[in-house]
Amino acid sequence: MAENNSLKNYPIHEIPECLIHGRTDLTGEAVPLFWNGSGLELCVSGSELWIDLEAGYEQYEPWISCEINGAFITRQMLMPGRQSLCLFRGMSPGEKKTVFFRREVQAFHEDEKNYLLICGVRTDGEFFPVRERKYKLEFVGDSITSGEGTYGAKSDNDWLPMYMSVSVNYADMVGKAMNAELRLISQCGFGVYCGYDNDVRHVMPAYYDQICGVAFGEHNRSLGAAKPYDFSSWIPDAVIIHLGTNDDVAFDNPPFIDPDTGKYYKIRKNSEINNDLNQSDVKRIRTAVISFLRHLRKKNPKSLLLWVYGMIGHRLSMPIASAVLDYIEQTGDLRAAFLELPDTPEENLGSRLHPGQAAHEKAAEIIVEYLKKNL
Amino acid sequence: MAENNSLKNYPIHEIPECLIHGRTDLTGEAVPLFWNGSGLELCVSGSELWIDLEAGYEQYEPWISCEINGAFITRQMLMPGRQSLCLFRGMSPGEKKTVFFRREVQAFHEDEKNYLLICGVRTDGEFFPVRERKYKLEFVGDSITSGEGTYGAKSDNDWLPMYMSVSVNYADMVGKAMNAELRLISQCGFGVYCGYDNDVRHVMPAYYDQICGVAFGEHNRSLGAAKPYDFSSWIPDAVIIHLGTNDDVAFDNPPFIDPDTGKYYKIRKNSEINNDLNQSDVKRIRTAVISFLRHLRKKNPKSLLLWVYGMIGHRLSMPIASAVLDYIEQTGDLRAAFLELPDTPEENLGSRLHPGQAAHEKAAEIIVEYLKKNL
Amino acid sequence: MAENNSLKNYPIHEIPECLIHGRTDLTGEAVPLFWNGSGLELCVSGSELWIDLEAGYEQYEPWISCEINGAFITRQMLMPGRQSLCLFRGMSPGEKKTVFFRREVQAFHEDEKNYLLICGVRTDGEFFPVRERKYKLEFVGDSITSGEGTYGAKSDNDWLPMYMSVSVNYADMVGKAMNAELRLISQCGFGVYCGYDNDVRHVMPAYYDQICGVAFGEHNRSLGAAKPYDFSSWIPDAVIIHLGTNDDVAFDNPPFIDPDTGKYYKIRKNSEINNDLNQSDVKRIRTAVISFLRHLRKKNPKSLLLWVYGMIGHRLSMPIASAVLDYIEQTGDLRAAFLELPDTPEENLGSRLHPGQAAHEKAAEIIVEYLKKNL
Amino acid sequence: MAENNSLKNYPIHEIPECLIHGRTDLTGEAVPLFWNGSGLELCVSGSELWIDLEAGYEQYEPWISCEINGAFITRQMLMPGRQSLCLFRGMSPGEKKTVFFRREVQAFHEDEKNYLLICGVRTDGEFFPVRERKYKLEFVGDSITSGEGTYGAKSDNDWLPMYMSVSVNYADMVGKAMNAELRLISQCGFGVYCGYDNDVRHVMPAYYDQICGVAFGEHNRSLGAAKPYDFSSWIPDAVIIHLGTNDDVAFDNPPFIDPDTGKYYKIRKNSEINNDLNQSDVKRIRTAVISFLRHLRKKNPKSLLLWVYGMIGHRLSMPIASAVLDYIEQTGDLRAAFLELPDTPEENLGSRLHPGQAAHEKAAEIIVEYLKKNL
């Protein structure tokens, strides 16, 4: 390999110009990428660019993807430890390249050891300001927002990082169409009132105020994951809440008994009829929607709050829509809305029975149409 | 023109086998086609087929379209008076052809003189049973269900029969995808609580129980338009209600003063903010939705009641969705649902700022997906 | 029907502004529409427009289609005799409308009685100049250029005018994409050396110099069909020759014995291997291609001569391509070319095993791409 | 990272079941991947799979991509040296997975140091036979077959491995649609008579008989690159030759002076008119086409020989088509054909002004249609 002796080393905090994407803590020496879509964006000249990383995990490995000048170039699994990835080499030194390096997978609350740090970059080029985007959008979601099923064969049913992505993801499609900077916070299996497993701890509202509360364990704590998130640091034009799918699934799943309290949790159906839901349990979900909206408004005084739902079934469309309406009526807050997304037909499924690329494209189209008219 | 001397004349009631589509009155000598998509379907052999019609109108002329073996063949404006249209000629006599002749436009309450009658057919062939379809679907709607804007150039803004159709219409697309027989009842400008013009008489519920209550005037009355519709005669698997768009528009339109009572009608916005609707007026719409659903259930004890909305804006999605939910909670009726349709992006508009073919296709896809899972 | 008393009658030759499309003879009182896509284009104001026609036929009836402001509005079979069709009514009088009325089917050499005349129009509006198009394109072809199979169900196999069209036709798609005025001359079954039936009289070159030589019979002669065509009257930027498909088919068909001369004609295969063609017979086709190109050049000194082929099989691609090359080498004429079109996959077939709409769209795309780079 | 202690090491030649793709030499300890699309395919159970590689290069680095169960999972640049990549981990041990690991870039005659070896794999699973594909297809081409431009932004114009691929490539699309095993041999800039630079050494025929003659240098020689290829070892149903684009470009490029002989090479245009080519130079190309076809037939007695051309301009369509025809006439060989591919419209370009994904899809569709009818 031809040695390039003019590479200069830039620790992450000494890069003259760069844009760090995603909720993170900047106080450490390296910058942790906690959430799906978190990353580093550069506008750099030179012939060669390397990124210095540190990664660790027990069970669920981090994946990364990288775009150059807006085009998908690479997607790969990371090995643990310190490492340096070449993002490009042999390019015309004079040209500016926009490089967008991202964490391709969600945070993993199941794997306390999972972490990914950007330590710095090495290049023979100079740095230029990264283009300002027109909007800022935050997405709060579950496996759909984690891009589960956007890679992998239809027949694949393992639950693996490999099948998740931001590179094929309705949120990224919306961002590109709207020229928006994105922050995603999402966990597979999580809901608004409870998770797919009836576990009431598996809900995004419980973690919304922290930088990345679902990144458990000492090490992640030391990286700042559990710190309160500074909502004034990045003010979204819209917060898109994409929750409810797992609350829905919970109606069909076994109860959860809290190991600590022994308390029993289960949202119920009255009968085996598909949509014969126990209305008092539905009420719990509606209440959870309303209180999350109230909380989101407190944290995001200026943002449009858009609740989207429906890519994996419509059973909770009406309860969520009317909860959103109740919120509006109770608060007079006109900057909140519900938008239903089309259910995913069998032919548009990706892996693990989750929406595939075509389904993400349809959803993105509908959200974009809405945002264009309402931002 | 080569004379075909073996043509035999079949008055409509003497056709050995045929299927008459759409709400109509069969007691007269001829069969009136009142609604969009009403028509005559035949499975016939022979080389030639003619249909004998009588049409009349003052301002808004009827259009017809015809499919042969499921493929679109012709679409044309009708002249007034008795006439005979050749639907095919010169075909292989031995082959069976399925011919589906339809009224291509809605009923016109603005033109009492508008009518279209099928008097009979002439052919040298024999008749065979028309295939049974798997489902029966009724659509209750407004201009979208009348297919307004599905023909004509984007720049065209006149309100004309020419721009309406059943041949390019989400309802027909749903019918073909679901193998369903259709009945459409729809009026441009009509709503569930009031019309686009705040006129509370311009609502479909007011006419739901008649064969075709909106076909006004003595002559239409004599054809049976005003007669009560026999709901036992044709039991739909689903009633798709596609109303609300004109109620929405009314918020932005001038009031209506009832000429008879002098009474003033207007649903109001609190301010110029797009979705700052007066909640007591929104309540009127929600109440109208609920009572229409109650009425629909009375008339259609077995049918799925699916309310769809959204192709021209989402402002009433939440109120309608929660009204449907209120209905379900009040009645325990689980066979009712709300399904939001995507808003129509500018590039998918047809004429008169109405959804064009691509928008109808998207809507149909979403409805079909829903019906497949719920019928 | 509301009488419109302000309609004014304009005999065809007294229309202040109009554009007559297609090869025709203007010396008569009425204007005959001989070829597929021939028609009348107007830019007119007013609320109403009627067109006065005269049609006749024995076996194969003419069909017409009409666009308003560039959008397809109607397509219908014509009855024989004098008649008046309403092209629009009730429109905003002030607005200009562009109306494009066309013959939807080819000339029929099998039916001497087939003819269609435009006698005039009636309107309450005024006439304005029809927009100049950027290019002029002439297409010389067979059933594909006659749009055979572009309407009708896949299962339909009768040979009927009903299944032909200019409204769904690669030539029209090319015209719209290139902003070109079109002249089509085409006959189903015709080739360059012989027809699908080995009949050496069934070739387009034999009729290229007449206005419409294939419209046989006394009456068509009296309408000017047999007159020499004035090539100086309309100079195409390109002549697209789309022939060879029937010559190809002839290899698989029975011989033709000339009824007059008793002479036997048959192009042969050496064996049953699909493409094992007798080279001396292939040579005849190549010679015919070259001499037609020479003739086309004589008649069209300035035009690009583009030979396209392949939508129904590629067996003659190489012979035709090398014949075109031989022509170029012999003449040094660089304004001639061969362009292969993709074969039509089963799923893109229309009726009568002919290319359907999707296949026409693919072909148009390829031709447009070529013309854009070479005109 | 959770240690998996049950991983077992399998040197490449000791893998019980596997399929090695692409022309290579199996006599060494490791298996070299010389050409684009060369690789290793396994059907394996177990939870984890690693592949042990060795790579080297000076200027142009190898990239790899990997599919699991037919779905694209990863694509990445390789660092030099011995390394082990994890292809999957944490999967259900019981399930069989089909893993297809491939070299994503062409051989680089410009970089003698470029090589990639598969040394072996490590897994905790068992091996199963890899599915037999229905066909075997060999592609002989240039940059298009090297997938140049299928990755990267439209604006990117550097010549880099990063922008080449087999994962987005018409050849791979054809292979998947035809259920075929592929062998690609291609070099950017190469032609049939000369390269884009008029260099007569830059032609694929010169290297066709070796395993990978373009992989120069001592080290590649030691890996077997220069060895004669055993044509009996893998008999293709069709050889698709996709050459001519660079011969075409050479007409517009400066001459080449052979450094050794000082001899001057240039194919010429007579004038600046785009397609005014010197016929004696065109003749050289035609002769080269014919002699390459003769040679291909000698090496592939049973295979269909399909010459495709046109994705970047049609200037040589006619000369190549007639050369193919001349070959057929000279030899009576009916299993040879020419198929023109559509030119690439601006909107379908990828990076470096080369065809992008949409263009590759169109080309694949046309080739598949042809092969389906002729294999």
Side-chain angles (χ1 to χ4, degrees), chain C residues 47-74:
Chain C
S47 70
E48 204 165 314
L49 177 71
W50 295 70
I51 187 162
D52 299 322
L53 305 170
E54 185 183 320
Y57 51 96
E58 182 70 13
Q59 203 177 348
Y60 299 114
E61 72 281 352
W63 285 62
I64 60 87
S65 63
C66 187
E67 293 178 354
I68 296 182
N69 296 326
F72 172 89
I73 294 294
T74 189

Side-chain angles (χ1 to χ4, degrees), chain D residues 31-47:
Chain D
V31 171
L33 302 184
F34 292 117
W35 295 104
N36 190 22
S38 300
L40 174 67
E41 189 174 18
L42 300 168
C43 181
V44 63
S45 62
S47 70

